[in-house]
Amino acid sequence: MAPSARPTVPSIRARKARDGSEPLVMVTAYDAPGARIAHEAGVDMILVGDSVAMVVLGYDDTLQVTVDDLAHHTAAVARAKPDCLIVGDLPWMSYHVSTEETVRNAAQLVRAGAQCVKLEGGRKRVPMIEALVDAEIPVMGHLGLTPQSVHAMGGFRVQAKESEAALQLVADAKALQHAGCFAIVLEGVPDEVARMVTDALDIPTIGIGAGRHCDGQVLVFHDVLGLEDRVVPKFVRRYAELKGSAVEAMSAFAADVRCGAFPADAESYHLDAEQSEALALYGSGRG
Ligand code: KIV
């Protein structure tokens, strides 16, 4: 069931579990049908994630997509007018060069229909976050396993597994909050570390592979629905097996076409009797 009021940045910022708020629900979506599904399911936020690179466009990492790609998918989601906050993901190299470029690139996502943007990284992103907030563009942070750092991390690996790194993560989260982020995604960190970060912040944390203590959870659309069945990370729970159902349905269609069972008479258009007769006469040479 869809919620009655569309969530806003201030309403999301206020959702801390320790204050009795219901956990936030975020899911990725990349097109209008996906946005309609998220809307009808009543999720709070749609992340038009750079994961589109891997789950939709077939790349091996998220580094291949551009601001134009993300704007294209954000616009498709926004056209569905979901009652969800739309978060546009800033892709790699869209917020690394200068604050001016960062603001311009974020503005492209906002003009495509995002109400806020997300970017990856800790303290070193503070100037970019401040510039965005200054330009009235709300920012969601993203810490821990940051997929755009895949090469620097040496692969998609759980982060902050040692006490020093855990303390750095808490410091990064506080710096992001201080710079003006309204929420922070915590990806691929131990449950205990996510709890420390969540306790240290006044803004909500949204976990993915970060245990049970975050203020909300996010999963990738294709993982929730079982459309992606090649890799199943430990933190994914599948709520359907749509890939299997889709292959079954497509095979049935192919079989029906091949044996002549599709289309049936009821699935075909017909001429009315008068036109049919005229054509028959024409065909017989009497017309
Ligand atoms: O792009 C994405 O899907 C993400 C989520 C994993 C949080 O950033």
Side-chain angles (χ1 to χ4, degrees), residues 17-40:
R18 67 170 175 240
D19 299 333
S21 289
E22 204 175 44
L24 288 162
V25 182
M26 182 159 86
V27 71
T28 67
Y30 316 101
D31 56 21
R36 277 184 218 112
I37 290 170
H39 162 83
E40 287 183 34

Side-chain angles (χ1 to χ4, degrees), residues 26 28 30 47-52 62 89 118 120 142 147 185 187 208 218 220:
M26 182 159 86
T28 67
Y30 316 101
L47 169 64
V48 188
D50 62 357
S51 51
V52 68
T62 60
D89 213 2
K118 176 171 83 59
E120 298 181 4
H142 185 159
V185 168
E187 177 167 0
I208 174 161
V218 53
V220 166

Side-chain angles (χ1 to χ4, degrees), residues 44-61:
D44 299 304
M45 291 178 280
I46 292 176
L47 169 64
V48 188
D50 62 357
S51 51
V52 68
M54 297 173 77
V55 295
V56 175
L57 302 177
Y59 293 114
D60 290 333
D61 57 46

